[in-house]
Amino acid sequence: MFTTSTYQNRRQALQNKLSGGILLFPGNIENPINFEHNTYPFRQDSTFLYYFGLAVPAVVGLIDLDENKEIIFGREATIDDLVWTGPQESLSDRAARVGVTETAPISSLSEYIGRAIAQNRTIHFLPPYQSANKLLISELLNQTPSQLQPSVSLIRAVAQQRSIKEAQEIAEIERAVAVSTEMHLLTMQLAKSGMKESELVNAIQAFAGNQDCTLAYPPIITVHGQILHNQVRSNALKNGDMVLVDAGAETAMGYAGDLTRTFPVAAAFDSRQRALYQIVLDALEGARAQLRPGVSFKSVHLHAAKILVEGLKTVGLMKGDAEEAVQNHAHTLFFQCGLGHLMGLDVHDMEDLGEQYVGYTQDDPKDTKTFGLKSLRLGKPLEAGFVLTVEPGIYIIPDLIDLCKTENRHSDFINYTELEKFRNFGGIRLEDNFLITSDGHQLLGPDLIKTIDDVESYRARYV
């Protein structure tokens, strides 16, 4: 945990942004896998962690703006609990560590909220994503889950505050990225023709655990990199394939890293792989050069897309004016997703609050309909203190090619005849993590190898 004053200051800063009512922060519960006492690994809600810091299940944080109170509701361990878990800190001792002096039984929360409702006071809450918390809030407010209306003012205040990372948060993220870097180097060391993708997954999971970390998200380790979120891990690696590894560590305090590299199973890329890899690397470096306060990330995304188009023209897969191709979204045949997202306590930071609040502004809302742009999680102007990913890619998806070709879509920009030769090429993604500084940006963590020469030189040591 951070210092007591960290959590006190965060809660005070939040209170200063809101005028009245009760702020309700339900923590997560231990979710059962197949019966009540066999649970998934516990992960606390990130906003609860940010303001209340306690990584324990079934607690609720409450800030009463009108009565100037902070309360943590929970339950004390019983003798039956202690038999199974050993001695536990009391709820009051836990609360004291984050600067909260008042605690109460979770059973009394309903009465507290009921009194506030009777007084016509506003109950502010964030969008609940766990079913247990949807039901809890529904019961507290005497509404059905479909009737729940999260507080937009609270969402905006939390998103604004959590977006700007403190120095101590950046240090945690740096540690997560450093462990993530070693995980990626490990996959480059171990990958051999004949191995299963799952063997690499198991190796990085063990490595992360040995560094007192978990994985920040289910890793993508695949020879079918054209499938953006591929969770199949049963394929065998073979020479001629590329391995796309999208994996990041999460520290014990919940902060994430998120890196992607693509490398050949053989010691070297073949000529087509080399050409397309360099295009993606150029897009990464070109996008990175744009990162600074005041620049909209949407413009960075479109700049990277233009670099991809220019590169794809050199190999004969695209044609025409690159600017016009991007304006017509022709690049989305190869680059269907967004260039990046905010990162911090969540690998997709605050995604549970809603991308329209976290990644965009009221004046420039998210495009939810246009193919490609609707997958761009971050579009607003960058600010010093933002931590984000940059992850351009080229993904050659046969089904998408067939659809676009049948509809004669983007025929002024796509060379479909040449593209057929790349039909089974797969996909390439490269991803780094950055901090926006007052005058530009800073790469977070060690600089994980990514040039063609460096990747091939490293692979040659182990193949």
Side-chain angles (χ1 to χ4, degrees):
M1 293 175 62
F2 295 126
T3 62
T4 300
S5 61
T6 292
Y7 302 103
Q8 292 173 317
N9 293 339
R10 287 173 176 176
R11 293 193 300 270
Q12 186 59 58
L14 180 63
Q15 292 178 55
N16 294 340
K17 295 176 183 291
L18 297 159
S19 58
I22 288 175
L23 313 183
L24 196 61
F25 297 95
N28 285 340
I29 67 164
E30 292 181 297
N31 279 295
I33 298 173
N34 50 6
F35 60 90
E36 181 181 1
H37 298 295
N38 184 29
T39 63
Y40 291 101
F42 175 71
R43 173 56 158 84
Q44 184 59 285
D45 173 72
S46 292
T47 300
F48 187 93
L49 277 180
Y50 185 83
Y51 291 110
F52 291 93
L54 301 179
V56 295
V59 290
V60 175
L62 182 146
I63 301 174
D64 191 325
L65 299 175
D66 305 313
E67 299 187 7
N68 194 28
K69 287 183 178 180
E70 297 178 341
I71 308 171
I72 293 179
F73 292 82
R75 59 182 290 270
E76 299 288 0
T78 66
I79 189 63
D80 288 333
D81 295 321
L82 300 183
V83 167
W84 296 100
T85 64
Q88 300 291 310
E89 272 188 301
S90 68
L91 183 62
S92 60
D93 285 345
R94 284 175 166 153
R97 289 198 285 130
V98 295
V100 176
T101 58
E102 186 173 349
T103 61
I106 193 72
S107 58
S108 66
L109 177 60
S110 179
E111 181 183 353
Y112 194 102
I113 297 298
R115 283 199 308 270
I117 292 173
Q119 297 165 355
N120 292 319
R121 297 169 63 198
T122 302
I123 312 300
H124 298 272
F125 61 93
L126 300 173
Y129 54 88
Q130 275 201 349
S131 297
N133 283 334
K134 290 181 183 179
L135 293 174
L136 172 64
I137 297 172
S138 294
E139 291 170 2
L140 291 174
L141 303 185
N142 194 27
Q143 297 177 1
T144 66
S146 62
Q147 292 175 314
L148 295 179
Q149 294 294 322
S151 167
V152 172
S153 59
L154 179 58
I155 292 171
R156 292 193 187 282
V158 169
Q160 182 184 44
Q161 187 176 359
R162 283 185 55 193
S163 291
I164 307 301
K165 300 298 183 282
E166 304 158 353
Q168 58 190 347
E169 292 184 282
I170 294 165
E172 276 293 303
I173 295 169
E174 290 263 34
R175 179 169 181 269
V177 178
V179 174
S180 304
T181 298
E182 293 300 320
M183 288 161 45
H184 279 264
L185 291 174
L186 182 60
T187 65
M188 294 184 196
Q189 294 168 20
L190 296 178
K192 302 282 193 306
S193 181
M195 287 185 71
K196 290 283 186 68
E197 297 157 330
S198 58
E199 294 179 69
L200 296 176
V201 173
N202 295 339
I204 65 167
Q205 189 158 4
F207 179 86
N210 289 337
Q211 313 307 311
D212 295 323
C213 291
T214 59
L215 297 182
Y217 52 94
I220 301 164
I221 299 185
T222 179
V223 295
H224 295 299
Q226 76 280 7
I227 303 173
L228 297 179
H229 281 179
N230 195 349
Q231 292 297 312
V232 175
R233 299 164 178 171
S234 58
N235 296 297
L237 281 57
K238 62 181 185 299
N239 288 330
D241 288 337
M242 292 181 295
V243 184
L244 187 152
V245 179
D246 186 336
E250 180 179 286
T251 69
M253 292 185 67
Y255 288 87
D258 184 5
L259 301 173
T260 305
R261 290 294 184 268
T262 308
F263 58 88
V265 175
F269 295 102
D270 66 29
S271 58
R272 295 194 311 170
Q273 292 168 349
R274 175 181 285 261
L276 267 60
Y277 184 99
Q278 186 62 51
I279 294 169
V280 176
L281 180 57
D282 290 344
L284 174 60
E285 296 299 341
R288 174 181 179 172
Q290 299 285 307
L291 299 178
R292 59 186 180 276
V295 175
S296 79
F297 195 71
K298 182 178 178 181
S299 72
V300 181
H301 167 86
L302 295 174
H303 180 72
K306 183 179 176 182
I307 295 173
L308 290 174
V309 173
E310 294 284 12
L312 289 166
K313 286 172 59 180
T314 66
V315 295
L317 297 183
M318 293 192 73
K319 57 188 177 180
D321 181 74
E323 188 76 41
E324 189 179 351
V326 172
Q327 290 174 358
N328 284 274
H329 312 290
H331 66 281
T332 60
L333 181 57
F334 302 94
F335 183 43
Q336 303 83 19
C337 55
L339 183 67
H341 50 80
L342 294 177
M343 187 182 80
L345 270 172
D346 310 297
V347 67
H348 289 174
D349 211 22
M350 300 176 283
E351 191 161 306
D352 58 303
L353 304 185
E355 289 175 5
Q356 69 272 32
Y357 302 115
V358 175
Y360 290 84
T361 65
Q362 290 175 284
D363 295 333
D364 188 13
K366 178 181 173 67
D367 182 339
T368 60
K369 295 181 179 179
T370 304
F371 186 66
L373 286 178
K374 68 180 181 180
S375 299
L376 179 61
R377 294 183 169 93
L378 175 62
K380 66 185 179 182
L382 300 175
E383 297 180 42
F386 282 13
V387 169
L388 52 86
T389 70
V390 176
E391 47 183 307
I394 291 175
Y395 313 100
I396 297 183
I397 303 171
D399 289 340
L400 184 59
I401 294 171
D402 291 342
L403 175 64
C404 291
K405 186 176 180 180
T406 298
E407 297 178 352
N408 199 31
R409 194 183 302 177
H410 306 310
S411 57
D412 289 341
F413 306 105
I414 306 297
N415 186 342
Y416 284 105
T417 300
E418 189 67 22
L419 184 54
E420 281 299 318
K421 302 175 185 177
F422 285 76
R423 183 178 183 83
N424 297 313
F425 178 86
I428 297 170
R429 177 163 66 253
L430 298 172
E431 177 182 22
D432 280 331
N433 307 150
F434 299 95
L435 166 69
I436 303 302
T437 62
S438 60
D439 58 355
H441 66 271
Q442 172 191 329
L443 178 72
L444 292 174
D447 193 355
L448 177 59
I449 58 173
K450 54 182 170 286
T451 68
I452 291 173
D453 287 347
D454 286 347
V455 170
E456 291 183 340
S457 176
Y458 196 81
R459 284 290 292 150
R461 302 183 207 174
Y462 300 101
V463 175

